[in-house]
Amino acid sequence: MVVFRRFESAIDQGIGRRKLGYLVIVLVVLFFLWFPNDTSQSNYTKTVFISGFFYAIMSSSWALLAGIAGQFSFGHMAFMGIGAYAAGLIARDGITFALLGVSISPESISAFGSIIIGTIAAGAVGLVIGWLLLRLRAAYLALFTIAFSELFRIMMLTEYDYTGGSNGLSLRPLLQIADVDAARQVEYYLMFGLLVVCLLALYWVANSPIGLFLRAMREDEDAASALGVNVVRYKILVFVFTSMIVGFAGAIFYSDVGSERIIPEQLEILQMSLIIAYAVIGGMESLIGAAAGAFISRYLLEAMRQVVITLPFGMTTYDGSDAFVWEPGFWRFALFGVVMVFTLRYMRNGLLYPIITWFSGRDIVMKETVSRRESDDNHAARIEADDE
Amino acid sequence: MKRITLIVSIVALLAMIAMLPMSAVQADGHCEFAEDSIKIGGLVPLSAPGAVAGGVAMSWAINRAADDINAACGVSIDGVNHAIEIVIGDSEGSPERGQAVVERFILEDEVHAVTGVYHSAVGLATMGMLDENGIPTVFSEPWNDNVSANGIMEYDGRPPRNADGVDHVFRVSPASSMVGGVVVDWLIDLGVGNVVIIAENTDYGQPAAADELARFEAAGATVTQINVELGTEDFVPILSRIQASADTPDVVRVLVTGETSYNLTQQMAELGIAPSENTICVTNQVAFQSEQYWQNVPDGNYCAFNRVGIIPSLFSDTAVELNAAYFEEFADIVPSYAMASYDAVWIIADGMARAGSSSDGAAIVAAIETTDLDLSQGRYYFEYGNHNPDLPEGTPAFMWHQWPDPVVTMMQYFEQGQSSLDAAVIFPEVYQTHGSGYIAPGTSP
């Protein structure tokens, strides 16, 4: 502890924690930029990273919606699915605007064009849902988005003539690179670049006046409204914004970048709960925390499929080996659940909160949230004391 | 005397201890294996949202096949025995995960061949990768027609796998189109004219209903289709509509899976709709799991059901042994996908032995194309491949690299609490076990 204090004071007197934090971010970015060039890494590891980047986008955008704006939605995976399915269907069948008499053939739409249309579709549906629902408060949004997600999933499952049902829908490949290694390299950088761009966009919103309004609404909608914040407008705005981000990420990821087809099972509530769990573990009110939580969780869940345990003190297994392979299988999810319970009970701001707070030199969780939680805790403690 | 007994006991004990490692050496040592084993990847769903129960059964069967092959001295290549080593990968039933696992199989585990795959979506997503990387593959459960058809036909913008002269993908499970039709053919043979189909609202129930409806109508039958949601527990309102109908249906066909299928069939039986004197009950193939069936559908005697996979009365010695081992492990009858997975490993091993190589993909493919093996599900062979590339007109493209003889039959219970091993096979005629195409309620075959 003394050593750490000395280190802390040396940092404070020297480069400063904040600058050190930026330096760490730069080093992390450099690591991710260098990683695919490490020839000892296989394409499989790169695939795991690509998947990690995708889920980092999902979790961080959900953190903006739920952690910062206080809109607890379960529809995130559905909007991702809308982006991907719309892109796939348009690239395959084209699009017809019957009222306008305009028809666009699939041949005239590029893969990227279909992704953009998919993103717009996700935003448009987000707008309608938001307009209908975001006047509602508390549990209603959560309940409706659960219903909406299930409805969308069942539609994708049952309209198999169009969507391929559980066999899934192939999207038009975004990249047409014949060499597998080169393709994986480009896919890696594309997904990493997308994560960086999304995080910057999310940060821009969170730190703009809109972000301030969102936090004000989260703490007290009536007070924010009384102070002139158009609550419904900003709720819809953030809902549409995050819907478009995940729609875009989904359309890109399933355009043979991370996966070559999307299936309705990806839209199950279980998948959505994983996104929430990643954000909770990383820190719901920190965009970078949620992103890191998702990436690290995905990586560890993958790494834990097979764990090689080396025995200490010269011990050997019955066949004379000094190591054995442990395959936790589904138990790794149970372990993940234990981590989540621990986080919720003891580190409600996420496991990365102490690290990010230390580097930033300030409390990353907005003061009002902390004070509210503290007062909630104090209130709960008082009730317990009264009961005794 | 006591001392002598003690000494004899100690000597006997020491002798037994000394014998243990010797017998172990003998057990391992009756075959000498080369250092390099043959790695076969088993791609199965072991986590949600995949079908975990199916994945566990397939994984067990794949490992069992490897154990049996190794017990028979593995794969002999140029006179040297190579042990089979299984690497299981969890697809989670997701194409994304399936692709990642296949990539791991190829790059990190360096497998020589791949088998398994339960979900068609995973098969469709991985077949291209496996072919491009020259990995001989025998899929054991995906049903989608395109899994084999893409060998010679374009699919989803992808050129035929055989365009470069070698298609590395085979299938020993039936194609969807091979399964449809058996129920309808049987019922039309029985002369039914008024059919009610109750189908679940999923991509299993709806296409199956559409397929059967078209076949029934083509045969001149009248069909009423009722759709239900999976998870529905109370079917009385739907069944009351059938009961109130002026025309008593000749048959009620249940195209609903799992627990919901059991609920529906029981309620149908309780209401006296079917099985009855006038109406045939045709339920889903989950009825084959007789223990679960009778627990949930105690009034379901005389219901018929379709079955994919070899029928118990035709079990070969291999199938009987496999079934006994499976029963010991899972207390249930071995499902067709476990049998297919078991057989697939043998087919790969046989192909490698005949090709004289575990790494020459093209040679192994050529050997597998000429497979002629009797295994747990029957005689395996592939009618169409580069050894016989021209499919006659009218032969569907999915017959390419497809085992042509997966058994699809109609079965019927005729005794309360009967094991599905003893149920009657009623269609096709060639497989009939009790000399009857249908056992009317209240009668015996």
Side-chain angles (χ1 to χ4, degrees):
Chain A
M1 203 63 192
V2 177
V3 176
F4 180 71
R5 289 262 158 77
R6 275 189 200 151
F7 168 75
E8 214 173 37
S9 102
I11 294 293
D12 288 342
Q13 285 164 13
I15 186 173
R17 291 187 203 182
R18 201 141 199 188
K19 280 186 184 162
L20 184 66
Y22 289 133
L23 188 64
V24 169
I25 290 175
V26 169
L27 287 176
V28 169
V29 171
L30 286 176
F31 166 77
F32 281 122
L33 290 174
W34 161 82
F35 183 80
N37 298 301
D38 177 3
T39 47
S40 68
Q41 299 297 340
S42 70
N43 278 350
Y44 171 64
T45 319
K46 288 174 206 163
T47 303
V48 174
F49 273 41
I50 290 170
S51 172
F53 297 148
F54 171 66
Y55 282 96
I57 296 171
M58 298 298 293
S59 273
S60 54
S61 55
W62 188 80
L64 177 73
L65 185 63
I68 291 176
Q71 305 305 307
F72 210 93
S73 163
F74 280 92
H76 231 49
M77 284 307 263
F79 287 108
M80 182 281 292
I82 289 170
Y85 271 105
L89 290 171
I90 284 160
R92 189 190 66 192
D93 301 334
I95 186 167
T96 303
F97 300 99
L99 286 176
L100 302 173
V102 177
S103 183
I104 303 170
S105 68
E107 295 77 27
S108 60
I109 301 173
S110 66
F112 191 70
S114 68
I115 288 168
I116 294 296
I117 297 173
T119 309
I120 293 168
V125 177
L127 180 67
V128 174
I129 301 281
W131 184 76
L132 281 172
L133 277 184
L134 290 169
R135 289 156 210 279
L136 305 175
R137 292 191 186 189
Y140 294 105
L141 176 66
L143 290 174
F144 184 89
T145 46
I146 288 174
F148 170 73
S149 296
E150 271 303 282
L151 187 72
F152 180 69
R153 184 183 69 81
I154 291 168
M155 272 173 63
M156 296 304 102
L157 195 63
T158 52
E159 291 299 323
Y160 53 88
D161 279 345
Y162 303 103
T163 62
S166 63
N167 292 327
L169 178 74
S170 283
L171 276 68
R172 186 175 296 172
L174 181 62
L175 308 164
Q176 306 266 17
I177 303 168
D179 182 69
V180 177
D181 294 335
R184 194 50 41 85
Q185 194 103 334
V186 175
E187 286 162 7
Y188 175 96
Y189 284 124
L190 175 65
M191 219 57 211
F192 179 63
L194 189 62
L195 170 63
V196 172
V197 170
C198 286
L199 276 176
L200 289 174
L202 292 167
Y203 260 96
W204 175 73
V205 170
N207 291 313
S208 69
I210 297 171
L212 188 64
F213 297 154
L214 295 177
R215 286 192 291 274
M217 282 155 38
R218 178 191 63 189
E219 295 308 315
D220 193 328
E221 260 189 57
D222 295 330
S225 184
L227 289 169
V229 177
N230 189 333
V231 172
V232 174
R233 182 193 293 172
Y234 286 110
K235 274 188 188 178
I236 294 175
L237 187 73
V238 72
F239 199 73
V240 171
F241 178 65
T242 51
S243 299
M244 289 180 79
I245 282 193
V246 294
F248 186 59
I252 289 199
F253 185 73
Y254 288 102
S255 294
D256 214 6
V257 173
S259 176
E260 70 102 45
R261 63 182 51 231
I262 181 160
I263 55 168
E265 283 75 8
Q266 288 301 118
L267 314 176
E268 279 183 356
I269 282 295
L270 172 75
Q271 303 297 320
M272 183 62 227
S273 57
L274 282 176
I275 301 287
I276 295 174
Y278 299 151
V280 168
I281 287 173
M284 259 175 74
E285 289 176 44
S286 160
L287 301 174
I288 202 146
F295 182 84
I296 294 168
S297 301
R298 289 297 296 183
Y299 185 80
L300 289 180
L301 283 172
E302 192 57 42
M304 280 175 65
R305 283 176 188 279
Q306 261 194 352
V307 184
V308 179
I309 297 175
T310 307
L311 295 169
F313 315 120
M315 290 159 69
T316 56
T317 60
Y318 69 94
D319 60 354
S321 169
D322 62 348
F324 67 94
V325 176
W326 176 49
E327 292 189 20
F330 203 74
W331 285 103
R332 67 196 200 284
F333 284 103
L335 195 63
F336 184 63
V338 171
V339 173
M340 174 125 168
V341 170
F342 172 83
T343 311
L344 285 170
R345 177 65 186 84
Y346 296 106
M347 299 182 78
R348 273 186 284 175
N349 294 320
L351 294 179
L352 299 172
Y353 167 73
I355 301 169
I356 298 173
T357 303
W358 189 86
F359 276 120
S360 63
R362 65 185 171 91
D363 204 337
I364 52 153
V365 176
M366 303 305 157
K367 272 279 174 269
E368 60 272 34
T369 317
V370 175
S371 59
R372 188 162 180 157
R373 280 187 192 150
E374 278 171 358
S375 71
D376 286 350
D377 288 346
N378 293 340
H379 180 62
R382 270 204 305 280
I383 289 172
E384 272 179 29
D386 289 349
D387 286 348
E388 281 170 13
Chain B
M1 190 67 181
K2 276 184 181 174
R3 185 175 288 178
I4 292 171
T5 312
L6 184 67
I7 291 168
V8 170
S9 303
I10 291 169
V11 169
L13 189 68
L14 288 173
M16 280 169 68
I17 292 168
M19 291 285 284
L20 274 175
M22 279 173 65
S23 57
V25 167
Q26 280 177 346
D28 285 337
H30 86 277
C31 308
E32 281 197 12
F33 290 115
E35 270 188 22
D36 51 331
S37 55
I38 293 172
K39 283 190 178 180
I40 297 180
L43 182 60
V44 295
L46 294 172
S47 309
V52 179
V56 169
M58 289 167 79
S59 170
W60 173 87
I62 291 167
N63 278 302
R64 167 97 191 173
D67 290 346
D68 288 354
I69 293 168
N70 289 341
C73 292
V75 181
S76 173
I77 295 173
D78 294 336
V80 181
N81 295 328
H82 295 262
I84 297 256
E85 187 185 335
I86 298 295
V87 186
I88 294 292
D90 177 11
S91 73
E92 295 177 14
S94 139
E96 171 205 344
R97 286 289 324 138
Q99 284 181 303
V101 173
V102 165
E103 201 155 43
R104 195 196 79 201
F105 278 167
I106 297 167
L107 296 168
E108 295 193 355
D109 301 320
E110 296 178 343
V111 298
H112 298 90
V114 167
T115 184
V117 177
Y118 186 96
H119 300 89
S120 287
V122 176
L124 293 169
T126 55
M127 60 190 187
M129 285 174 80
L130 289 160
D131 180 55
E132 281 160 22
N133 286 282
I135 306 292
T137 301
V138 181
F139 283 144
S140 53
E141 183 55 7
W143 283 16
N144 189 290
D145 288 359
N146 291 306
V147 168
S148 49
N150 187 219
I152 50 168
M153 275 182 67
E154 190 183 290
Y155 167 66
D156 248 1
R158 271 185 263 149
R161 291 188 302 262
N162 200 48
D164 60 357
V166 187
D167 172 20
H168 294 79
V169 179
F170 295 81
R171 170 165 58 183
V172 291
S173 57
S176 293
S177 299
M178 296 166 83
V179 180
V182 172
V183 179
V184 179
D185 289 348
W186 167 61
L187 289 167
I188 293 298
D189 265 13
L190 290 178
V192 301
N194 183 11
V195 181
V196 171
I197 296 176
I198 304 177
E200 69 180 36
N201 209 357
T202 67
D203 65 333
Y204 156 72
Q206 294 302 305
D211 179 59
E212 289 189 10
L213 188 140
R215 288 172 193 263
F216 275 123
E217 287 186 341
T222 313
V223 184
T224 309
Q225 185 180 330
I226 301 169
N227 297 330
V228 296
E229 297 304 323
L230 266 188
T232 305
E233 292 194 354
D234 182 10
F235 292 99
V236 172
I238 290 166
L239 296 170
S240 300
R241 271 167 53 198
I242 300 172
Q243 225 169 9
S245 162
D247 296 326
T248 306
D250 297 327
V251 58
V252 179
R253 165 69 165 138
V254 176
L255 280 167
V256 180
T257 52
E259 293 290 321
T260 316
S261 167
Y262 293 142
N263 281 339
L264 173 56
T265 312
Q266 172 58 20
Q267 289 171 32
M268 194 162 76
E270 262 177 4
L271 288 171
I273 296 173
S276 66
E277 197 182 329
N278 298 319
T279 308
I280 299 169
C281 161
V282 185
T283 192
N284 181 263
Q285 60 182 326
V286 291
F288 186 76
Q289 307 302 324
S290 42
E291 206 168 309
Q292 291 170 28
Y293 179 77
W294 290 114
Q295 234 168 34
N296 292 287
V297 196
D299 299 324
N301 197 10
Y302 292 104
C303 270
F305 55 93
N306 54 321
R307 151 91 174 156
V308 174
I310 190 83
I311 47 178
S313 54
L314 294 179
F315 272 7
S316 62
D317 290 346
T318 315
V320 168
E321 272 176 38
L322 188 66
N323 186 50
Y326 187 88
F327 198 87
E328 200 177 320
E329 188 78 18
F330 299 103
D332 213 339
I333 297 161
V334 62
S336 60
Y337 42 81
M339 296 173 98
S341 300
Y342 178 88
D343 293 347
V345 179
W346 277 96
I347 291 169
I348 292 167
D350 172 68
M352 286 176 173
R354 285 187 296 112
S357 167
S358 60
S359 55
D360 185 345
I364 297 166
V365 164
I368 293 178
E369 282 179 336
T370 54
T371 294
D372 190 356
L373 273 179
D374 279 312
L375 296 165
S376 76
Q377 292 211 101
R379 180 181 161 243
Y380 281 93
Y381 62 101
F382 296 95
E383 198 163 1
Y384 301 106
N386 279 323
H387 63 305
N388 181 23
D390 299 319
L391 276 68
E393 207 175 311
T395 303
F398 62 74
M399 291 306 288
W400 174 266
H401 277 194
Q402 165 73 45
W403 178 43
D405 290 342
V407 178
V408 185
T409 53
M410 294 305 304
M411 298 181 75
Q412 189 181 9
Y413 289 117
F414 58 91
E415 277 174 18
Q416 187 72 23
Q418 191 172 37
S419 162
S420 52
L421 294 173
D422 304 322
V425 179
I426 48 178
F427 190 83
E429 209 174 330
V430 66
Y431 293 124
Q432 267 179 11
T433 52
H434 290 69
S436 175
Y438 177 62
I439 305 161
T443 64
S444 289

